[in-house]
Amino acid sequence: EIIKSYLIIKFALQILKHFRSFLMAYVISAEKCVNCGACEADCPVGAIAEANDVRTIDADKCISCGTCAAECPSDAISEE
């Protein structure tokens, strides 16, 4: 059952990556970001990294799932 769920999620992510040019990537406001790392820890595709004491989102990796925005305690993440 776990393997089946994994394969379904993996397939869904592949489909989302294929259509990512139609999706809006999320962005992090440098002014609001408190650099806690909650967004990076929860990103399912590893699209968030730290740079200059602020987190940034790689638009090419972002699948616009919204997990990062939901987890951000300072509301620093929004759709581009």
Side-chain angles (χ1 to χ4, degrees), residues 10-55:
K10 185 175 178 182
F11 179 71
L13 288 174
Q14 288 174 344
I15 290 171
L16 286 173
K17 285 180 184 180
H18 178 72
F19 291 104
R20 73 177 173 223
S21 62
F22 300 107
L23 301 172
M24 298 179 84
Y26 281 72
V27 293
I28 301 174
S29 166
E31 293 80 29
K32 291 182 180 180
C33 180
V34 296
N35 202 24
C36 67
C39 57
E40 183 176 4
D42 290 330
C43 179
V45 293
I48 302 173
E50 183 178 7
N52 300 322
D53 295 325
V54 105
R55 306 287 167 164

Side-chain angles (χ1 to χ4, degrees), residues 62-74:
C62 180
I63 58 171
S64 297
C65 66
T67 302
C68 57
E71 295 300 319
C72 182
S74 61

